[in-house]
Amino acid sequence: MENREIARLLSEVADLMEIGAEDGFRIRSYRNAASTIESYPERIDDILRNPERKVTDIPGIGKGIAAVLEEIGQRGTFQKRDHLLEQYPATLLELLRIQGLGSKGVALLYQHYKVATIDDLERICKEQKLRELPRMGAKLEEKVLKSIAQYRQRAGRFLLSFGKKTADELIPYLSETGGLDQIAAAGSLRRGKDTIGDLDLLVTGPKAPEALECFVNHPKVHAVLGKGPNKASIQYGLEGLQVDLRALPHESYGAAMQYFTGSKEHNIILRLRAQKLGLTLNEYGLFRVDNEQRVAGETEQDVYAQLGLAWIPPELRENCGEIEAALEGRLPKLVELSDIRGDLHMHTTETDGRASLEEMAEAARALGYEYVAITDHSKALAMANGLDETRAVAFAKRVRELNKNGLGIHILSGLECDIRRDGEMDLAEDALAELDIVVASIHSHMNLESAEMTDRMLRALESPNVRILGHPTGRILMHRDAYPFDFERVAAEAARRNVYLEINASPERLDLGSAHIRTAKSLGAKFAVSTDAHQTKHLGFNMPFGVITARRGWLEAGDILNTLSLKQLHEANIIRIKV
Ligand code: DGT
Ligand code: CA
Ligand code: CA
Ligand code: ZN
């Protein structure tokens, strides 16, 4: 079993224990183990099978969890889980994803009304029976119904990062067939959408039929949905992501990439344009209508060029003005990963990160960065052992010392300072003033009314020490929507006060998203693309998702703070680097 699957079993059990109101300490031990295992670099299965190794050597894995892991290794499940699944239907786990209920609410609904599925829950709300339960009311019914609608909308979608990982497993696997000319991902993955519905892969080459065969026989295939001479579809892995693979003739590769990259809306406009020019465009090529002669197809560049257009980067292909811009020669020169000179949001073991400052610095140096800001949490996040004023000031001093000796990369002393409910900074301004850079973020009281939330954020922007507004909308993809607030007012005010809006690159957030980025840019705002790394590997893994999101927001390098060199940051007086 893969680590990811083991982690899922453990965290599901923790969820069920929570529904059963079991001991919090034990629940936490399952959760911690799940998160450790999920990101553990070695396969737990391999360690279990090696008589010379012990899983208890892994930090955070005690004897109790070790026994559970042994059992999972032997029979794919464990006693505690079996026992819970006798008590509760597994479908309750899905109910936990509906906002507003929590484990206590789910337990109550199950005890009173035997609510076990989303459909049951919807019915109870519509029949106005939820409000009859203790501490629940009509307002909650409304909220739950709204949340159910949102849940259904996003069900069946997957994070972009998950699509990327899957493509990174399948593409090398298929390449091993040999005899392929091209193999690539198209669809929403190539456009960099924050979530994807399915994965679309294309191959060309003499051995493409063999690749299709190989594809449906991949060991992680959960189900084969269809297979023909030129196309196959599978459900991949436990999560069941659908993957479509299409085999095409070499001369159609560009046209097929164009067609299957989409978006559908972009393609519709493109086909209309072809028609106007007496051409017809499909996945096999661009053809003249009168004599059916092929005018383009082998490369995307040719297809766009024959339509009188500059090649349009996939991230822009959403029919949001990109075709007009291409026609008029005013496509933006989008920011690229190689433009990024540093990372301005990350955590260390000082708070809830997994690596030390030195380890993070070294990993960032290896990525070729010139600088990083270490931005641990502030004291309001007591669970994460957030920094108070004394620790923050001491940290700033420590960083100044470190930079004297030099770690091969410049360290900026930073803080991710909580924005309190009233918009005040969690730490006193004179302490914040000691730091090189302050990211201000909301981590609490996320259920305020729109007006109150807007005031809170405007108030936060007044702090003279805040340079970046962290994950500005608070969304968690497929879990939590952006909180309601007047985004345009906040973005305009941020622009006026020279506060940069974060594009948080962690794949669960991607916050700001592309629509907000475009709105903010039109209001004069500037941005920072940051990883919010909590361990070394996030630094390199997250950043491309942030950059692709920035590109979807039409951003150029000049819109982004961390494309500047340290010298430029210093000279522009954006960051007063303290020495
Ligand atoms: P997804 O999978 O929901 O995240 O989004 P896409 O964009 O990957 O959509 P998908 O997988 O249904 O199709 C891939 C691309 O193929 C799509 O972006 C455009 C093209 N395509 C698929 N079906 C149609 C269609 O009926 N008409 C047109 N014009 N293009 C289509
Ligand atoms: Ca797709
Ligand atoms: Ca598809
Ligand atoms: Zn953070």
Side-chain angles (χ1 to χ4, degrees), residues 258-259 262-277 279-281 286 303-304 307 309 312 317 319 322-323:
Q258 196 294 310
Y259 182 90
S263 68
K264 207 165 158 178
E265 292 73 19
H266 173 90
N267 287 356
I268 289 170
I269 306 293
L270 224 55
R271 274 205 306 273
L272 286 174
R273 175 149 183 88
Q275 262 174 32
K276 267 200 244 162
L277 299 171
L279 300 166
T280 158
L281 176 63
L286 184 65
V303 171
Y304 282 99
L307 292 170
L309 300 168
I312 300 176
R317 300 183 195 170
N319 188 27
E322 73 280 9
I323 293 173

Side-chain angles (χ1 to χ4, degrees), residues 198-491:
D198 69 2
L199 183 56
D200 305 280
L201 301 178
L202 305 184
V203 288
T204 65
K207 288 246 177 113
E210 283 87 342
L212 283 175
E213 193 57 37
C214 208
F215 178 62
V216 296
N217 288 314
H218 188 286
K220 278 174 80 176
V221 167
H222 187 70
V224 178
L225 304 173
K227 180 169 180 291
N230 306 315
K231 182 187 165 182
S233 291
I234 58 166
Q235 265 187 325
Y236 187 75
L238 261 187
E239 295 85 355
L241 171 65
Q242 183 177 329
V243 188
D244 299 338
L245 177 67
R246 291 180 181 82
L248 290 135
H250 186 83
E251 66 274 17
S252 296
Y253 180 70
M257 278 301 274
Q258 196 294 310
Y259 182 90
F260 291 110
T261 295
S263 68
K264 207 165 158 178
E265 292 73 19
H266 173 90
N267 287 356
I268 289 170
I269 306 293
L270 224 55
R271 274 205 306 273
L272 286 174
R273 175 149 183 88
Q275 262 174 32
K276 267 200 244 162
L277 299 171
L279 300 166
T280 158
L281 176 63
N282 59 37
E283 62 267 51
Y284 295 102
L286 184 65
F287 304 90
R288 282 177 56 167
V289 174
D290 50 6
N291 60 8
E292 292 177 17
Q293 194 196 331
R294 166 195 293 273
V295 299
E298 203 173 321
T299 71
E300 267 193 343
Q301 271 81 1
D302 293 345
V303 171
Y304 282 99
Q306 289 297 329
L307 292 170
L309 300 168
W311 178 81
I312 300 176
E315 294 91 337
L316 302 185
R317 300 183 195 170
E318 300 288 350
N319 188 27
C320 281
E322 73 280 9
I323 293 173
E324 295 82 343
L327 260 175
E328 293 161 19
R330 51 174 181 81
L331 281 170
K333 186 180 178 319
L334 298 178
V335 60
E336 291 178 19
L337 185 59
S338 57
D339 294 324
I340 301 293
R341 311 285 285 267
D343 193 336
L344 297 173
H345 183 166
M346 69 192 64
H347 300 268
T348 70
T349 43
E350 228 6 71
T351 61
D352 60 354
R354 299 269 203 90
S356 66
L357 179 152
E358 286 80 2
E359 288 165 333
M360 294 302 271
E362 173 51 28
R365 197 196 56 77
L367 291 171
Y369 290 154
E370 195 190 348
Y371 54 87
V372 283
I374 304 288
T375 56
D376 270 308
H377 288 293
S378 65
K379 67 182 186 220
L381 280 194
M383 289 247 299
N385 186 29
L387 277 65
D388 60 10
E389 282 82 356
T390 315
R391 273 171 74 202
V393 172
F395 168 67
K397 185 163 170 237
R398 179 178 157 220
V399 168
R400 286 195 293 271
E401 289 304 316
L402 280 171
N403 283 327
K404 274 184 202 149
N405 300 325
L407 293 173
I409 179 168
H410 189 86
I411 313 292
L412 297 166
S413 61
L415 185 76
E416 183 180 20
C417 187
D418 258 58
I419 299 173
R420 287 199 228 151
R421 182 183 174 140
D422 60 3
E424 288 287 326
M425 287 300 113
D426 187 25
L427 299 196
E429 294 292 347
D430 58 351
L432 297 182
E434 294 291 316
L435 297 157
D436 293 323
I437 188 165
V438 175
V439 180
S441 305
I442 287 177
H443 293 115
S444 64
H445 305 288
M446 290 180 242
N447 293 324
L448 303 185
E449 297 292 327
S450 174
E452 201 179 347
M453 188 59 100
T454 306
D455 287 346
R456 178 186 188 183
M457 291 169 84
L458 293 173
R459 181 97 184 80
L461 295 176
E462 284 174 23
S463 160
N465 294 300
V466 171
R467 191 53 50 234
I468 296 175
L469 186 60
H471 41 76
T473 79
R475 76 168 176 176
I476 303 289
L477 291 165
M478 303 192 293
H479 283 277
R480 187 172 78 206
D481 291 330
Y483 18 74
F485 68 104
D486 187 340
F487 177 73
E488 297 190 12
R489 251 185 95 192
V490 170

